[in-house]
Amino acid sequence: MGLIRILDPQTANSIAAGEVVERPASVVKELTENALDAGATTITVSIRNGGILSISVTDNGCGLDPDDALNAFTRHATSKIWLIEDLDTIGTLGFRGEALASIAAVSKVTLKTRQPGDTVGTQVRIEGGELLSHGPTGCPEGTSILVEQLFYNTPARFKFLKKDSTETSAIAEIMERLILARPDVSFRLLANGQELVHSPGNNDLLSAIYAVYGKRQAATCVPITGESGPLTVSGYAAMPDGARHNRSGQTVLVNRRWIRSKTVTAAIDEAYKSRLMKGRFAFVVLKLDLPPALVDVNVHPQKLEVRFWKDGDVFSSVYQAIVAALNEHSGILAPEKSATEEHLEETSENVITQNMQLPNETPKPAYDDISATYGPNNNILSLHDKAADAPAEAVVRTDKSDYSPDKSDQSAPSYEQLTITSSSYADTVLKVADLTEARIIGTLFDTYVLLEWTDELLLIDQHAAHEKIIYERLRQARREKREQMIQPLLSPQTIAVTPAERIMIESEQPFFQSIGFDLEAFGNRSVILRTIPDLQSARIDPELALRTALQLLVKDRPSGPEEVDELLYQIACKAAVKAHDRLSMLEIQQLIADLIPLENPYTCPHGRPVIIRQSRLEIEKKFKRVL
Ligand code: ADP
Ligand code: MG
């Protein structure tokens, strides 16, 4: 007897289900995408115990007629592609016709649906892939799908479910992405009856950002726009004071789909380079729109990764769009803004995560408890009762009385008028060009230059300023690919070296030559230096430049052009004016004049501020002249 058997359809379905339905969040993803494909403008997702107990997704979309309500559960039944050619120009989110069949194979599903204009709706109930009932029912227009007891019949999968809060987070993340991808749709997520997030659906991306990340984050955002051939770039980028501790604030949407892209991430990093401190990440919500034929969305089974027709074009468009927005709006932060900066850092969690702060965790029932979990007679209430004395899974507001079940049909929240426009951000910053009107007071601690400007005291970190001047000039020189990056010394300089240094210089002679050091051994203990690299700074000590180069080379020999630039920059910084060098009035004026033409004079190469402002009011408060 052969060993090969054809699996019965139910087994086959539940195996295939594993690909589509891994966890509650995948159910939410599939059902919400279906709702969007059905043209819904409001979608409510309500989960219990991280979606393990139940998930309901209710939409006001086009609904299904009685026949289709049943057909929808057949594998490879889809209304979304008719011909194989359609696969190339898929405009909808789902297209495999597998989700509903897969979900129904591993849970208990109740579908209620009514097409607009129809007098009655249809209800379909399926358990573990078996049809229980199919018939008319009264229900609102649109579709609502209730998925209960996920994986009740597949213990192996049930076992892999995580804690309720982990599953809730995964669901929240799906909702977060949808809210940002579709500001035209109002989404609402309830966990155990508590509202975690509610977006207005007013087709305004900034309102969507507000809904997900809160007002403070939204207030740091400026709009970005860009175009390159068939590609348009839009969305919002946060100014440096809106940066976060990780990449959780980076959203990339390609044709309204949330995706990951190394190219886009690299472009974001490059655009923020030298604007953010180490360990800080840009906050951006980037929308890329381009003809579907120019982007391959099917690279990754979860449809997360895409392939662009021209990576280089995508990189430069994103980079330029962000840099243009940042340059337009950056400046010396208003005194109040710099003061609130730290606060944002601390509370940079998004709204959903904040709403999810769990006082106590209800542990996920163990695998052995599966029958207890879902009850001997599959009675949902049994677990519900059991969980009733346990603390709520998620708490949204401190004011619990705020929630009542009949609020479930409340309309979208009215968002406080967002007055965050590009111009208002620009109003709060001072441009470096304004410094020409400031009165130079002098220097403080031989480190800061003090200026008086209208009702403010400005402080320039002279070392940070100087570093930035050198940094940008070097970058500029590289961009213009200037051949002459060499600075001849007025007279050759003899420099004493150790035997070890001599060996290093001799073996790395071609490299030294290539970056602009023309040197020659002179006896055993010295070298003659004729030229140094042109470090774009008037005050460079040649000997210090050579010593720094030697030191850095011992540590690490640069390979690519980027690393060579970094090396030159470090040499320049070490060999140039330091803090603690007293600047003359003339030098201060020169420093300010050198800052003005820079692309971004506001942060040093490491992202620290170059100039800060102190208001007269703050000073007068300290003297108790005002209260
Ligand atoms: P797919 O989305 O890949 O077509 P699904 O199994 O997710 O496959 O859904 C099967 C079909 O059921 C869809 O093609 C659609 O016609 C219908 N459908 C599913 N959800 C909804 C909904 N919320 N509103 C209207 N029709 C729906
Ligand atoms: Mg689908």
Side-chain angles (χ1 to χ4, degrees), residues 406-418:
D406 53 2
K407 274 197 166 184
S408 58
D409 54 13
Q410 85 187 22
S411 55
S414 62
Y415 273 74
E416 192 182 321
Q417 185 59 42
L418 282 174

Side-chain angles (χ1 to χ4, degrees), residues 30 34 37 80 94 99:
E30 294 295 338
N34 280 348
D37 285 345
K80 296 165 197 173

Side-chain angles (χ1 to χ4, degrees), residues 30-31 33-34 37 80 93-100:
E30 294 295 338
L31 297 184
E33 287 186 348
N34 280 348
D37 285 345
K80 296 165 197 173
L93 296 163
F95 50 82
R96 292 188 172 90
E98 271 180 333
L100 286 184

Side-chain angles (χ1 to χ4, degrees), residues 191-203:
N192 296 344
Q194 304 280 2
E195 184 178 276
L196 293 188
V197 68
H198 193 172
S199 70
N202 60 358
N203 204 14

